[in-house]
Amino acid sequence: MSEASPFDVEATRKDFPFLEREIRGQQVAFLDSAASSQKPRAVIDAVSEFYATSYANIHRGVYQLSAEATEKYEGARDQVQHFLHAEDRREIVFLRNATEAINLVARAWGDENLQPDDEILITALEHHANIVPWQMLSERRSCRLRVAPIDARGEIDLNAYESLLSERTKIVAITHVSNAIGTINPLPEMIAMAKARGITVLVDGAQAVPHMNVDVKSLGCDFYTFSGHKLFAPSGIGVLYGCHSMLESMPPFLGGGDMIETVTFEKSTYAKSPGKFEAGTPDIAGAIGLSAAIEYLKGFDQAQLERWETGLLTYAEKRLSELDGLRIIGNARNKAPVVSFVVDGVHPHDVGTALDQSGVSVRVGHHCAQPLMEIFEVPATVRASFSIFNTPSEIDRLTQALSETMEIFR
Ligand code: PMP
């Protein structure tokens, strides 16, 4: 990889206190950011400072602390609005995670808008979070779930995708980036094809937001979802972007405090969005942590980060392909920094356990994408995923530990 890269990874590494941690006497090589990201000091400090100095419940207090907490929580909404380039702050709903956001749309929008025999289109690349809620909706509404296929590289077959769009298709739910094999989907084309037919589009952005600039307005999707914990923020906070008219037309998902306008024993009326979808006390500190994470990322040149991460991916694919008996799963031309692979004669779980002995943390398993594993005819893979603090020397450690493991099993 290019030594001339102006990105200062050593300075970035100093932002992540977890790197001081040793695993089995070695500094940890954390190659599992696709599962959940590590947290920079800026996020940890923002959350602990909030709890230490200005904690209170939001929206209802008349006192100073509550007003401050409300201001920070609503400020986080503005931050996310700008981060996603949404037109209106009311288009940002805070939830627990991407899973909850997809379930909200499947329930609140799906139950209202789908009729028997209608179709929902997903792709073969989806995480279970973007499969199961649509299966449940299909059962409730007697609809059909259809799946756009991929080719051997792990790229969407765009012709097949387009031919599956019909007047029966009511929603297309597609991942921006595959968590299991890293494919970046050609969203502009896919969304344009759906929109030309008046079809609603939801994008699962869980794996995209940590790696690329996302502009929901220019994408033209109706819904976009992500989880804070993959974006350097705490776990427990997630986001649903929904275009304003769509959210306003939808009934609430959960009922309770904070989502109402008036309540009598006979009847309740609801708040406008986003409040309508934020019943109960939300993850206030999580939203503040998410805002700090976005602020932290704003300190970097996004193009430089992308170059660094792409460099790591290219280097990892080169080093791994030097190992005889290792097969990379998913060779899309446009990939996020994720590399999935299998090793001849060694189960991925054994590979993962052996790597851990060398302080190298990777993910093994089906990555909540069992149907995709079936397409590639593997039960599971080993997945290394990279973030802004990873280095080529950590990839060397991965390669070395893999080579030793393969030797033992030979
Ligand atoms: N979609 C994708 C592509 C993912 O990678 C994940 C998390 N692995 C999810 C959805 C679900 O995220 P969460 O568990 O935070 O709801």
Side-chain angles (χ1 to χ4, degrees), residues 273-296:
S273 61
K276 179 169 62 173
F277 299 109
E278 293 182 5
T281 301
D283 184 355
I284 310 164
I288 289 164
L290 175 58
S291 182
I294 294 172
E295 195 59 37
Y296 171 71

Side-chain angles (χ1 to χ4, degrees), residues 34-35 97-100 102 127 129 175 177 179 204 206-207 227 229-230:
N97 48 36
T99 302
E100 189 175 31
I102 297 167
H127 184 281
T175 194
V177 172
N179 66 308
D204 169 4
Q207 294 291 342
S227 295
H229 69 90
K230 293 185 201 280

Side-chain angles (χ1 to χ4, degrees), residues 339-385:
V339 57
S340 238
F341 56 90
V342 289
V343 174
D344 279 351
V346 195
H347 194 279
H349 282 89
D350 292 331
V351 176
T353 308
L355 293 179
D356 186 49
Q357 298 299 315
S358 305
V360 177
S361 310
V362 293
R363 189 71 155 191
V364 296
H366 53 61
H367 315 294
C368 297
Q370 279 181 341
L372 182 62
M373 296 292 113
E374 226 169 88
I375 291 170
F376 282 101
E377 297 178 339
V378 291
T381 71
V382 184
R383 182 189 70 188
S385 53

Side-chain angles (χ1 to χ4, degrees), residues 96-109:
R96 274 189 305 149
N97 48 36
T99 302
E100 189 175 31
I102 297 167
N103 276 277
L104 186 156
V105 176
R107 278 273 174 192
W109 184 87

Side-chain angles (χ1 to χ4, degrees), residues 119-346:
E119 293 184 356
I120 300 160
L121 180 60
I122 61 171
T123 79
L125 290 166
E126 303 310 320
H127 184 281
H128 296 167
N130 204 27
I131 301 174
V132 183
W134 305 113
Q135 280 172 340
M136 292 161 74
L137 170 62
S138 305
E139 278 170 28
R140 286 197 303 277
R141 304 296 302 149
S142 305
C143 296
R144 198 148 154 229
L145 184 66
R146 311 213 60 183
V147 182
I150 51 171
D151 63 18
R153 280 192 298 248
E155 291 181 6
I156 290 288
D157 176 340
L158 273 181
N159 289 331
Y161 166 80
E162 186 164 30
S163 69
L164 284 165
L165 297 169
S166 74
E167 68 281 359
R168 291 205 168 143
T169 317
K170 291 296 174 309
I171 186 163
V172 168
I174 42 183
T175 194
H176 196 160
V177 172
S178 157
N179 66 308
I181 60 170
T183 308
I184 301 175
N185 273 328
L187 280 194
E189 290 93 323
M190 293 174 82
I191 294 173
M193 286 173 186
K195 284 287 149 200
R197 294 161 176 87
I199 299 167
T200 297
V201 177
L202 174 141
V203 177
D204 169 4
Q207 294 291 342
V209 288
H211 304 298
M212 60 193 75
N213 182 37
V214 172
D215 184 331
V216 290
K217 234 177 345 180
S218 70
L219 280 174
C221 55
D222 301 283
F223 301 105
Y224 194 98
T225 66
F226 74 89
S227 295
H229 69 90
K230 293 185 201 280
L231 186 72
F232 307 109
S235 49
I237 186 77
V239 169
L240 168 67
Y241 156 81
C243 91
H244 184 61
S245 57
M246 214 59 143
L247 290 181
E248 278 305 308
S249 72
M250 284 157 54
F253 175 48
L254 297 174
D258 234 26
M259 52 75 72
I260 51 86
E261 199 177 51
T262 60
V263 177
T264 66
F265 282 122
E266 289 71 39
K267 185 177 165 50
S268 300
T269 58
Y270 308 126
K272 301 220 168 294
S273 61
K276 179 169 62 173
F277 299 109
E278 293 182 5
T281 301
D283 184 355
I284 310 164
I288 289 164
L290 175 58
S291 182
I294 294 172
E295 195 59 37
Y296 171 71
L297 279 173
K298 278 164 45 182
F300 293 92
D301 171 354
Q302 179 65 27
Q304 207 179 71
L305 290 187
E306 285 180 36
R307 271 198 304 279
W308 180 256
E309 291 186 340
T310 305
L312 291 170
L313 174 67
T314 308
Y315 184 63
E317 291 189 331
K318 174 178 162 291
R319 290 300 326 268
L320 294 181
S321 55
E322 290 163 12
L323 299 174
D324 241 0
L326 183 148
R327 181 162 59 98
I328 292 176
I329 304 290
N331 294 294
R333 285 161 295 184
N334 200 7
K335 266 177 86 167
V338 170
V339 57
S340 238
F341 56 90
V342 289
V343 174
D344 279 351
V346 195

